[in-house]
Amino acid sequence: MTIEPNEQNLTNASPERVTSRSSMPQPLSGRRPDPAVPARDRPAGARWARAGLALGCGAVAGLAAGVLQPRGPVTEVEALALIAGGVAVGILTGVVSRTRWSMLAAPAGYLLAFELARTTAGLPSTGPLELDSAFGPLAYVLGRLVPWLLGATALAVGAGWAARDRSRRPIALTALTATLALVAGSLAIPASSPPLTDAGGRPIPGAVSELIAVELGGQRQWIQVRGASADLPVLLYLSGGPGQSDLAFSRVLLEPLTRDFLVVGWDQRGAGKSYPGLDAATHTPRQAVSDTIELARWLTQRYGRQKVYL
């Protein structure tokens, strides 16, 4: 039996049977959630709460850095650890806060907590600004510049990548990351003393050019030995400090003497590469004399000499 379509058949048809599948209600379990609200459209209270969370994360990192490194990073390993820790905390901050403001809030919290945590260290680079000498402002600035730059920049980089807007090209963030990576790479390269060369720029055969760590008075201290031959007499250069590294100065200014001497430059206790050995309780003239005598004896034994020139 064949039924021809007509107006009556269409009129009597059940509404459920003519409803298209696309217009049928979908089960609640299959409904997709609404897209996330952009950060700029969130309530002001939520934005401030996320920024406060980022500030707190940065403060925790600054507190840890101030307790573990009150003088800032004094070795390459400590500097690399500060960078790695800052990036890790920054990533965590960006993931948790989910706001680009964490790039500013986290470093701000870090700087405040870092300064508060190390106020009791009792060192020139951690105390208040002293204007009675040129060393006061210099110590104040340098004692803060390195830990501020390394720690705060690492936090900003980590937080920026974790919370960045995927629709934008992170040109500034990429440049900041590349700069931080360049600094970390330079810190990872071991320091060395360049070889001695002749007038034509060719290395001198048999010349001595060494950067050596020596244990003096229970502290690791660094010396640089340079000379055209290992058979030359030993000349120990004592800087007028201590207080700054003279390895670079002695290498340049005393280079003509390397034709006649094994010139020894020395970062004394608490200076330059020997800065980790700084201890206010033992940093006395008596200790400096003792370190000098011990180093002179070490040089005579290493190079087989009877005496050392000062």
Side-chain angles (χ1 to χ4, degrees):
M1 178 178 179
T2 303
I3 300 178
E4 297 293 337
N6 53 45
E7 183 177 352
Q8 183 178 1
N9 292 336
L10 294 176
T11 303
N12 295 333
S14 173
E16 290 80 1
R17 298 179 62 181
V18 299
T19 303
S20 64
R21 294 178 59 89
S22 61
S23 62
M24 295 179 64
Q26 299 294 322
L28 294 177
S29 59
R31 183 176 298 173
R32 298 180 61 184
D34 294 335
V37 179
R40 61 179 177 273
D41 296 333
R42 294 172 186 159
R47 294 199 299 269
W48 281 109
R50 294 178 186 277
L53 181 61
L55 186 72
C57 291
V60 172
L63 180 63
V67 172
L68 298 176
Q69 299 180 3
R71 290 180 289 176
V74 296
T75 65
E76 294 87 348
V77 174
E78 289 186 5
L80 290 173
L82 180 61
I83 293 175
V87 171
V89 175
I91 292 175
L92 178 62
T93 301
V95 171
V96 173
S97 64
R98 291 178 294 171
T99 173
R100 288 181 297 164
W101 284 103
S102 59
M103 288 187 64
L104 298 178
Y110 166 84
L111 296 179
L112 291 174
F114 178 74
E115 285 301 316
L116 291 175
R118 67 184 197 141
T119 52
T120 59
L123 296 171
S125 60
T126 62
L129 177 62
E130 299 180 3
L131 300 176
D132 55 345
S133 68
F135 178 74
L138 183 64
Y140 187 86
V141 172
L142 295 181
R144 288 159 175 79
L145 187 62
V146 173
W148 282 6
L149 286 179
L150 293 183
T153 303
L155 276 170
V157 166
W161 284 111
R164 75 181 183 91
D165 187 350
R166 298 299 193 277
S167 63
R168 298 185 178 183
R169 294 182 179 180
I171 299 177
L173 181 58
T174 301
L176 189 63
T177 304
T179 302
L180 186 64
L182 183 63
V183 172
S186 64
L187 290 171
I189 300 175
S192 61
S193 179
L196 269 75
T197 58
D198 56 19
R202 296 178 296 271
I204 300 176
V208 178
S209 181
E210 301 177 304
L211 190 62
I212 310 171
V214 184
E215 194 79 12
L216 302 174
Q219 296 289 347
R220 192 185 192 198
Q221 302 181 39
W222 287 83
I223 63 173
Q224 180 179 242
V225 184
R226 295 173 61 82
S229 172
D231 299 327
L232 296 173
V234 178
L235 174 65
L236 175 58
Y237 168 66
L238 297 179
S239 64
Q244 68 178 17
S245 176
D246 270 347
L247 294 186
F249 291 108
S250 62
R251 181 173 64 83
V252 175
L253 299 179
L254 304 181
E255 191 74 4
L257 295 178
T258 59
R259 310 304 175 188
D260 303 308
F261 294 94
L262 281 174
V263 179
V264 181
W266 176 22
D267 270 352
Q268 300 179 46
R269 180 186 300 259
K273 288 182 67 64
S274 304
Y275 183 71
L278 178 61
D279 183 1
T282 61
H283 200 57
T284 62
R286 180 184 296 272
Q287 184 62 56
V289 172
S290 176
D291 289 347
T292 304
I293 295 174
E294 188 174 357
L295 176 58
R297 290 173 177 170
W298 185 90
L299 291 170
T300 58
Q301 294 175 3
R302 179 178 178 86
Y303 296 104
R305 302 293 185 271
Q306 295 295 324
K307 58 184 178 181
V308 171
Y309 294 92
L310 295 180

